[in-house]
Each structure stands twice: as C-alpha cells, then as structure tokens.
C-alpha cells in the first residue's frame, strides 16, 4: 500500500494523531496505538520518523499507560518548543476512574534526533477538569503560542451545558502552572463536545504556511474542532483577537460545526503542524474502518492515516481552505504515465481507460462542459444533495460525470467519483463533488454511503479532480483542493489485475470532454529503524 500504515501482519490499531513535529532533520509522528489488539483500548503512543513524510521508520513506543493518571490511556496531545530550546509534549491522560487529566512529558536526551526516550513530568497531572466541565469532557491540549502580553496560550476542547461546543483558553508563564481564562475562545450552541481543537493562521496573499507566532495584516485564522457526536472535522475561517483571546467567524452562517468540513468522507481527529523547513502547514487525519471488528481481527489491522496535506487559504474565494497532497507523494509515481486528451463523453456513456491494473494510482483529470448547453437549459434541480441522492446512478441534465475507480470489468464493484451540476430556479448553478460507495463492494456488512458537498467553480474554470487510489481507500480533491473526500472501500472483485478505471457521463443533456494524466504508484516504505 502507498498509504502510511503498519504492515498487515502486525496486530495493531491506528488512532488519532498526537504531537507531529520536525526535530534535527526528522519528521516525527506520534499516534494512538493498541499494541495488543485491533480493538480500541490500552491506548499507547506509537512513534515513527521520516525524512520526507512519505517513507517511515518505526521506533519503540514513546509512552505507555503506566501511572494512575494515565492507566486507561495516553491520549492525544501536542508538541511545543519552549523559549529555552527544550521540547515539551502536552497530552491528555485517562485515569483509573476515566477522569481526563492533562500531563507533560519531555525527551530524555535532547541530543538524540530520533527522540526515542520520553520522561513523564514528576508533577503530573498539571491540569484537572475545572468546575463546570465534565470529568470526561476535558481533552486534547494544543501546542502553546505566545501572545502580545508575553504569556503563552494553550487551548482545549470541551462543552458547556451539555450541548454547547466550546474552546477553553489557558495562560502560562512557566509551562507548568496554567490559568483558565473566564471567557472561552469561541462556542457554538447545539454542536456538542469539541475535541482535537486547533487554531492556526493562514496568509490572505500567499501560499506559504504560517507559524502561530505571526500577527498583523494579511492573515486570517482557522479554528477547527472534531465533533465527538457527529464524528466530523469542522473548520471555519475568521479573525483572532490576541489581546482578548477571542475568535470570530467571518461568516456566522458558516461557523464552526455548522459550516465547512476538512473532508466530507471518512476522516476524523486531524491535527496540523507547521513545517519550518518547507514553510508549510501540514494536515493529517485518521481514516477509520467501516467493516466489522471481526473482519479487522481476520486481517490483523485496523485504521489508517491519510496522505499528509498542505493547508492554505483559497486566495481566490477567501472563504474556504485549499488542501493538497504534499509534494513528496510524487516520489511514489511511476517514471512514465498514461495521458488521455479530449476523450468524448456522450450522455450515458462509459469509456474504459486502458492502463492495466489500477489499484494504486495518482489521477489528475479535467472535464470541459459545453457551457452553451449549460446556460440554455433551465431544468432546475434545487433539492439535489450528494448524501441523499441516488449516487452515480441518478441522472440529471448536467451530471453526474467523472471517474469509476476500483471497478471490475462487469461493474460488479465500482467507486464513482464525480461532479454534478445542479441548476437553481433563477438559472444560476451550483456544483457538487461526490463519491458513491453504494456499489464499492459485494460485502454486505461494510459502509456504503454517498459522500460529498458543494465545491466552488469560478467563472472560466474547468472541472478538475485529483484522485489518490490505493487498494481500499480513495482520496479525492476537487478544484485544486477546495472540497475533499476520503472514501474507505472494501472491494472483493475489483482487486489486483481485475481493478480497472473508467470515465463516465451519466448526464442526460451535456457532452463532456475529459483529459487525464494517470500515474501508477509504488509502495511507500514503513520498516523498523535499525537501532
């Protein structure tokens, strides 16, 4: 597989990202892990390092549940470089009675670039749930950053009055004692518990990433939360008042938990970190299983992480983020690629693309639509939505059209990724980007949903998508990364040499021309570091 994951012969449970960072020439990834079972529990921090965020070395476990305050799990946390150059890990711990505490850990040997050994702070825990916060509603500390008053800030997710999702703010001057602020950073009624919260700046003029220490003009701030009740990762774009520790959404109707999502498929508990070497902000998420625990036990592994993505503000719209696979993933591309130009897709057509086995692919596709037909036809489709539609089988005047991946020749199995253009009653249109899992597998006990959402398509733009296909996962990026969908599928027929890729146009009114570049992808390396 090209995805970052443990080999299938290891009994392992992947979990949430914890404390990604760059240190002395190595990218470090820590993640929740059960060394004894594919079922959640015995939450431990596993540790891997990489030079390129693509090929990885597995290191010994970083932290295990061995104290009263974390005996039920070393949960998610974040890394912070302190002013004196030391590295500190701030993490949530689950105690013997399942109360959530916040704890510190430090490298045992700062001269070790691999950071193999970690020591828990003698004074743990440093934070307990404050009055008014549930004992199990207090988790996932962020990295610390300095404010204009010289104090350092840290945020955590929680909820108020059982239904109001919120972000707590703490101040510190010594990194051991923390003061809870009276006011929350932000809250939204009806959104429930927020976990894995994140805040970071994005440039309004450039495509480079920004560290949290950046203040001033030309900057917006992204606030993100993972909704514990709906299991989605939500984000919103707004402004941050550093003096008063308040965050405000640019558009209250697109506020946190009711507006935009990082990913409209299977994706959760994500975290970003600033890469100081390539001046970029990198996003990772957790892609869980939708099959049964019994199947996980048979294959002896469960859950994966997505290909890391860079995150920037969409400078053209100023209202959404751009997510894009890190450039290093291109190292896995084959030397030669297949090129298809202006493939004619008549209404109702399916066109095979002869590339051989199609289980591991990097596909860039562009679709040109006859705008004269689009403008002339007044057929309204005001109620269309990816998740409630008939998927790729449903036919409209202007969609669906796109690609069938992980498909076998008789179409017993297929995973369509497609655009659907819906006309409004006033003649304007909106575009949807969707993935249809309904026929992705002959198995009956796996998730088979239609995922997706709208995607901005600006005047003069063609319809573009990039797909990373890897045996049982499809990561799809529309319009340069404005809308993203990760789909976890379980083909039984469309595997190995039987896996094919097709173009299709199931619209009733428009002809589409498609141009594609398709690379075969090699396997990423994941092996034990030769200590």
């Amino acid at each position: 597989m090209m995805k970052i994951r443990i080999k299938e012969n290891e009994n392992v449970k992947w979990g949430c990202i914890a404390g990604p960072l760059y240190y002395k020439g190595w990218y470090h990834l820590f993640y929740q892990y059960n060394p004894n079972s594919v079922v959640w529990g015995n939450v431990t921090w596993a540790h891997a390092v990489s030079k390129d965020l693509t090929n990885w070395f597995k290191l010994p476990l970083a932290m295990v549940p061995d104290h009263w305050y974390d005996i039920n799990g070393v949960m998610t946390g974040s890394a912070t470089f302190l002013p004196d150059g030391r590295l500190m890990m701030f993490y949530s711990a689950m105690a013997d009675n399942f109360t959530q505490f916040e704890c510190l850990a430090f490298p045992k040997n700062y001269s070790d670039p691999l950071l193999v050994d970690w020591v828990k702070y003698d004074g743990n825990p440093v934070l307990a749930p404050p009055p008014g916060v549930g004992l199990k509603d207090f988790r996932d500390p962020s990295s610390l950053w300095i404010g204009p008053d010289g104090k350092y800030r840290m945020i955590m997710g929680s909820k108020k009055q059982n239904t109001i999702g919120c972000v707590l703010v703490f101040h510190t001057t010594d990194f051991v004692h923390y003061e809870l602020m009276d006011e929350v950073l932000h809250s939204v009624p009806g959104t429930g518990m927020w976990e894995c919260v994140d805040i970071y700046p994005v440039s309004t003029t450039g495509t480079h990433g920004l560290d949290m220490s950046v203040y001033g003009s030309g900057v917006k701030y992204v606030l993100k939360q993972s909704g514990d009740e709906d299991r989605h990762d939500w984000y919103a774009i707004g402004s941050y008042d550093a003096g008063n520790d308040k965050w405000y959404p640019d558009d209250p109707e697109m506020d946190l938990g009711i507006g935009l999502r990082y990913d409209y498929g299977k994706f959760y508990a994500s975290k970003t970190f600033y890469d100081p070497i390539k001046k970029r902000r990198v996003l990772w998420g957790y892609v869980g299983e939708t099959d049964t625990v019994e199947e996980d036990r048979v294959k002896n592994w469960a859950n994966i992480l997505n290909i890391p993505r860079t995150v920037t503000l969409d400078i053209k719209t100023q209202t959404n983020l751009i997510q894009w696979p890190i450039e290093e993933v291109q190292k896995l591309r084959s030397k030669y690629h297949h090129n298809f130009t202006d493939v004619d897709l008549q209404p109702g057509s399916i066109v095979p693309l002869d590339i051989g086995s199609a289980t591991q692919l990097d596909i860039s596709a562009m679709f040109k639509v006859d705008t004269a037909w689009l403008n002339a036809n007044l057929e309204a489709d005001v109620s269309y939505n990816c998740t409630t539609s008939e998927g790729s089988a449903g036919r409209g005047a202007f969609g669906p059209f796109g690609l069938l991946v992980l498909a076998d020749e008789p179409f017993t199995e297929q995973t369509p990724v497609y655009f659907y253009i819906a006309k409004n009653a006033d003649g304007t249109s909106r575009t949807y980007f969707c993935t249809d899992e309904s026929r992705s597998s002959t198995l009956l006990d796996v998730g088979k949903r239609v995922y997706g959402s709208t995607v901005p398509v600006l005047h003069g733009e063609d319809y573009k998508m990039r797909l990373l296909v890897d045996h049982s996962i499809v990561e799809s990026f529309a319009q340069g990364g404005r809308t993203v969908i990760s789909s976890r599928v379980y083909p039984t027929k469309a595997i190995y040499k039987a896996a094919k890729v097709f173009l299709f146009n199931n619209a009733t009114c428009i002809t589409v021309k498609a141009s594609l570049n398709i690379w075969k992808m090699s396997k990423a390396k994941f092996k034990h570091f030769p200590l």
Side-chain angles (χ1 to χ4, degrees), residues 331-409:
K331 294 180 180 180
L332 301 178
R333 287 177 173 176
S334 56
K335 184 176 181 181
Y336 302 102
H337 71 280
H338 297 270
N339 175 263
F340 302 89
T341 304
D342 289 337
V343 180
D344 192 61
L345 299 176
Q346 296 293 322
S349 64
I350 299 178
V351 177
L353 299 176
D354 185 13
I355 65 170
S357 177
T359 56
Q360 293 174 265
L361 304 174
D362 188 346
I363 305 173
S364 292
M366 178 179 69
F367 300 89
K368 289 183 176 291
V369 173
D370 188 333
T371 54
W373 272 98
L374 183 62
N375 295 330
N377 193 296
L378 297 179
E379 178 181 324
D381 198 355
V382 296
S383 62
Y384 185 84
N385 186 287
C386 293
T387 57
T388 58
S389 72
E390 299 176 73
S392 61
R395 304 191 70 182
F398 311 112
F401 58 89
L403 285 157
L404 307 179
V405 296
L406 297 175
D408 62 350
E409 197 70 56

Side-chain angles (χ1 to χ4, degrees), residues 43 85 181 236 310 318 357 380 392 419 448 525:
V43 181
M181 297 295 99
T310 56
Q318 298 281 318
S357 177
S392 61
F419 291 106
K448 296 180 182 179
K525 298 182 178 67

Side-chain angles (χ1 to χ4, degrees), residues 41-166:
N42 188 32
V43 181
T44 300
W45 271 28
H47 185 192
V49 293
S50 173
K51 288 288 188 180
D52 59 7
L53 292 175
T54 303
N55 299 294
W56 292 84
F57 289 101
K58 183 181 177 183
L59 291 171
L61 299 179
M63 287 193 284
V64 299
D66 56 4
H67 289 68
W68 69 267
Y69 53 78
D70 65 9
I71 197 63
N72 276 312
V74 182
M75 312 305 286
T76 301
S78 300
T80 298
F81 287 96
L82 304 184
D84 60 5
R86 289 184 302 152
L87 174 61
M88 181 183 78
M89 201 67 76
F90 211 153
Y91 71 95
S92 290
M94 191 178 292
D96 46 9
N97 65 353
F98 295 97
T99 298
Q100 293 170 351
F101 293 103
E102 308 313 314
C103 302
L104 305 178
F106 299 88
K108 185 176 181 180
N109 180 6
Y110 284 95
S111 64
D112 175 17
L114 299 180
L115 299 173
V116 172
D117 296 314
W118 288 80
V119 178
K120 296 175 184 177
Y121 175 56
D122 287 341
N124 282 342
V126 298
L127 279 174
V133 172
L135 299 181
K136 299 179 182 179
D137 302 327
F138 184 65
R139 56 186 178 269
D140 309 331
S142 73
S143 298
L144 279 70
W145 73 95
I146 191 168
D149 56 3
K151 295 180 180 179
Y152 277 77
R153 274 84 167 147
M154 181 272 289
I155 60 172
M156 289 178 56
S158 189
K159 63 180 177 180
K160 300 186 298 182
Q161 301 172 25
N162 205 40
T163 61
I164 304 174
C166 65

Side-chain angles (χ1 to χ4, degrees), residues 345-520:
L345 299 176
Q346 296 293 322
S349 64
I350 299 178
V351 177
L353 299 176
D354 185 13
I355 65 170
S357 177
T359 56
Q360 293 174 265
L361 304 174
D362 188 346
I363 305 173
S364 292
M366 178 179 69
F367 300 89
K368 289 183 176 291
V369 173
D370 188 333
T371 54
W373 272 98
L374 183 62
N375 295 330
N377 193 296
L378 297 179
E379 178 181 324
D381 198 355
V382 296
S383 62
Y384 185 84
N385 186 287
C386 293
T387 57
T388 58
S389 72
E390 299 176 73
S392 61
R395 304 191 70 182
F398 311 112
F401 58 89
L403 285 157
L404 307 179
V405 296
L406 297 175
D408 62 350
E409 197 70 56
F411 303 109
T412 306
E413 293 179 335
Q414 56 182 283
T415 300
V417 183
Y418 54 91
F419 291 106
Y420 188 105
I421 305 170
K423 294 294 286 287
N424 299 314
D426 61 1
T428 59
S429 63
R430 63 196 187 281
T431 301
Y432 290 84
F433 184 57
C434 317
T435 297
D436 180 4
E437 297 178 349
S438 61
R439 289 163 290 169
S440 62
S441 176
T442 58
L443 297 174
L444 301 178
D445 52 358
V446 301
K448 296 180 182 179
R449 300 183 59 182
V450 181
Y451 290 116
S453 183
T454 55
V455 57
V457 180
L458 306 185
H459 179 71
E461 290 183 345
D462 292 316
Y463 299 82
K464 298 180 180 180
M465 66 172 72
R466 182 180 177 187
L467 276 56
L468 297 177
V469 181
D470 185 19
H471 291 280
S472 62
I473 184 172
V474 182
E475 294 184 58
S476 306
F477 303 79
Q479 299 308 106
R482 288 180 183 143
T483 297
V484 183
I485 307 170
S486 293
S487 201
R488 190 80 174 85
V489 294
Y490 303 87
T492 61
K493 307 291 185 183
I495 57 177
Y496 305 116
K497 292 184 179 180
K500 309 294 181 185
V501 59
F502 301 83
L503 287 164
F504 80 99
N505 176 14
N506 212 21
T508 60
C509 287
I510 55 168
T511 296
V512 179
K513 288 190 179 296
S515 297
L516 305 93
N517 288 311
I518 304 177
W519 289 266
K520 299 286 186 72

